[in-house]
């Protein structure tokens, strides 16, 4: 790709420069020599233009029959499928995850686009009875208006698709601002939607820094819906901004997810799951299995084998064949991980492997950190309570099932949890007791599918869910309709 390439914003169906003319650079976190391109550094003025375009386009898009909207989404899904390999490569370059994982990310966007296209011929409401004679009742979905979508860098195409596709099929228009570290994947997604025939103004794309472009977007009066995925700190700010004018708000934030390994578990299976859940995407998944709570009877065996395998993970540039773990996204993220390794050691956790930045020829131009395992952890340690968002896994021994559940639930987050056991009763009890929005049996905490609701309890979210039909509930409003064909005044609750 041309390193000088300048990527523009997409507003009102046109590719345009930011109002200030300023840009910022997108650089490969695995290789600082790999300069991907310049992206527009947008500000409040660009947000105003995009919001105005989306507001205008909403007046006609909301009236397009949903099956017609769906035809555009079907075309977009086909285009995404055709270009999956190119988009996955772009993603690995800008985000760092191994190519195989990047393909999975694009596939998730494809799945979501097909899924929501299918909803164009459903968007079901209810027909129901009335307490009065000659009266008909039903519910219909209405779009809400212009949606402001703010997305993180760890799933650069999947998460944007989770937001854009349900918003569009419901008849809303959107302004999306991707994370500053991964603007290319959303650029690719938006270019595909343009090619698929989305009318001008229905989808608007602004690249930029959170405080400069994201903050004015969530505050803009014409933005009626805000969907945010990112950190708790920024999520709180966004929530305050939206409260002012009671915008619809969906927050998807952090996690401190747990795998429970019981003494009756298939240990080989648990080991594979914990490695994938803990170190997949370099631990930079909101659903990463960053805590493993292990029954004391199998703790030593598990800890030893897990550490051996973690040390041997092949770390490198995600474009190189055989690489199992890529770099961290930025130097800031690397410093955060280093800080937590120090905290863990000070708290008395036993560093079993890793704990340092990787150096050497293939590592010096990127933000590489060794897969890190802490053993003999206790639930109160900060490394067991706070989201690190890196390749750091804490092993916590436990005495029994009840204690494992208690430890699992002892954090402020509630995104994903898992249990490895062959005891069906304990599997079901854990399903009931774990306070998370997602729960797995004999599988790690990662691996969500697009037709099931996605989201978390407690400080992970604010009660909404993404994906599945749950997303439709967020991007539409219910309208309850009563049709009286009795030709007389009938009073509910009074005329019997
Ligand atoms: P972040 O909060 O730093 O940034 C997220 C987005 O918000 C970016 O687009 C950023 O530019 C924007 N932003 C920053 N400041 C803003 C402001 N003041 N106003 C409006 N927008 C602003 O998060 P991140 O580092 O990109 O992502 C990592 C976090 O995301 C982790 O905490 C992770 O757990 C979370 N995450 C959650 C889910 C989930 O579904 N629960 C999924 C993926 C990531």
């Amino acid at each position: 790709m041309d390193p000088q390439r300048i990527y523009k914003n997409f507003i009102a169906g046109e590719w345009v420069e930011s109002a200030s003319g300023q840009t910022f650079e997108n650089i490969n976190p695995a290789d600082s020599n790999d300069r991907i391109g310049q992206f527009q550094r947008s500000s409040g003025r660009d947000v105003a233009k995009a919001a105005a375009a989306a507001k205008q386009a909403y007046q006609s898009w909301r009236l397009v029959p949903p099956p017609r909207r769906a035809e555009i989404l079907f075309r977009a899904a086909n285009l995404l499928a055709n270009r999956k390999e190119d988009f996955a490569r772009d993603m690995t370059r800008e985000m760092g995850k191994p190519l195989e994982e990047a393909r999975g990310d694009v596939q998730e966007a494809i799945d979501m686009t097909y899924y929501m296209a299918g909803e164009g011929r459903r968007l079901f409401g209810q027909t129901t009875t009335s307490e009065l004679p000659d009266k008909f009742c039903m519910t219909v979905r209405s779009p809400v208006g212009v949606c402001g979508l703010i997305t993180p860098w760890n799933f650069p195409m999947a998460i944007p698709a989770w937001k854009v596709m349900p918003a569009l099929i419901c008849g809303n228009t959107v302004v999306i601002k991707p994370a500053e570290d991964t603007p290319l994947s959303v650029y690719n997604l938006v270019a595909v939607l343009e090619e698929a025939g989305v009318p001008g103004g229905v989808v608007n794309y602004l690249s930029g820094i959170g405080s400069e472009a994201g903050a004015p977007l969530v505050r803009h009066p014409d933005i009626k819906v805000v969907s945010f995925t990112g950190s708790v700190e920024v999520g709180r700010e966004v929530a305050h901004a939206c409260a002012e004018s009671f915008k619809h708000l969906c927050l998807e934030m952090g996690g401190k997810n747990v795998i429970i390994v019981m003494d009756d578990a298939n240990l080989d299976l648990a080991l594979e799951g914990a490695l994938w859940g803990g170190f997949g995407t370099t631990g930079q998944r909101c659903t990463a299995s960053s805590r493993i709570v292990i029954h004391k009877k199998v703790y030593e065996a598990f800890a030893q084998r897990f550490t051996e395998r973690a040390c041997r993970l092949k770390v490198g540039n995600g474009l190189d064949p055989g690489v199992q773990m890529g770099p961290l996204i930025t130097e800031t993220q690397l410093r955060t991980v280093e800080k937590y390794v120090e905290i863990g050691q000070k708290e008395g956790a036993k560093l079993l492997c890793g704990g340092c930045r990787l150096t050497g020829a293939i590592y010096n131009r990127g933000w590489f950190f060794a897969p890190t395992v802490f053993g003999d952890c206790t639930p109160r340690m900060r490394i067991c309570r706070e989201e690190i968002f890196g390749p750091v896994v804490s092993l916590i021994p436990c005495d029994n099932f009840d204690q494992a559940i208690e430890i699992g639930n002892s954090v402020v987050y509630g995104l994903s949890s898992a249990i490895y056991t062959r005891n069906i009763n304990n599997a079901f009890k854990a399903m009931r007791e774990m306070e998370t929005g997602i729960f797995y049996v004999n599988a790690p905490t990662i691996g969500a599918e697009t037709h099931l609701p996605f989201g978390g309890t407690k400080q992970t979210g604010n009660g909404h869910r993404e994906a599945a039909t749950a997303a439709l509930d967020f991007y539409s409003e219910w309208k309850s309709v009563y049709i009286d064909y009795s030709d007389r005044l009938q009073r509910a609750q009074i005329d019997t």
Side-chain angles (χ1 to χ4, degrees), residues 149-155 159 162-163 177-181 208-219 228-235 237-238 241 251-255 284-287 329 333 387 389 413 415 454-456 460-461 466:
L149 312 177
I150 309 255
T151 55
W153 46 263
N154 63 341
F155 278 84
I159 292 178
W162 291 2
K163 297 183 192 301
K177 195 217 74 75
E180 40 273 52
D181 299 305
I209 315 297
S211 55
E212 297 171 4
L217 178 60
V218 300
R219 281 177 178 76
F228 168 85
T229 301
S231 61
V232 169
E233 298 69 37
V234 176
E237 263 183 62
V238 170
L251 294 172
E252 292 293 346
M253 300 172 291
Q284 302 172 113
R285 286 192 185 213
C286 51
T287 51
I329 185 75
Q333 199 56 37
E387 187 183 50
F389 230 53
Y413 298 111
L415 187 52
F454 183 95
T460 291
E466 299 207 276

Side-chain angles (χ1 to χ4, degrees), residues 334-371:
L334 185 118
R335 300 283 164 239
T336 302
V337 174
E338 281 177 341
K339 183 189 85 182
Y340 273 103
V341 168
E342 214 181 299
I343 291 170
Q345 285 174 304
K346 278 197 189 134
E347 284 177 318
K350 200 159 139 195
L351 185 63
L352 299 178
C353 78
C356 57
R357 185 176 178 176
L358 291 169
T359 50
I362 57 164
Y363 297 127
N364 286 345
R365 293 203 304 268
W367 310 118
F368 292 98
F369 202 86

Side-chain angles (χ1 to χ4, degrees), residues 399-461:
D399 292 337
N400 52 43
F401 174 81
D402 289 340
Q403 196 189 33
I405 298 288
E406 195 186 317
I407 296 171
N409 282 334
S410 67
V411 294
V412 295
Y413 298 111
L415 187 52
S416 185
S417 59
I419 188 166
Y420 280 82
T421 180
R422 288 184 172 116
N423 180 326
I424 186 84
N425 296 352
N426 280 346
F428 271 87
K429 278 184 197 153
M431 179 187 80
R432 184 187 63 206
E433 297 302 326
M434 286 311 300
E435 299 162 351
T436 53
I438 305 170
F439 175 72
Y440 295 86
V441 177
N442 293 330
T445 55
I446 66 178
E449 299 180 32
T450 52
H451 57 298
L452 276 80
F454 183 95
T457 63
K458 303 200 273 188
Q459 288 188 22
T460 291

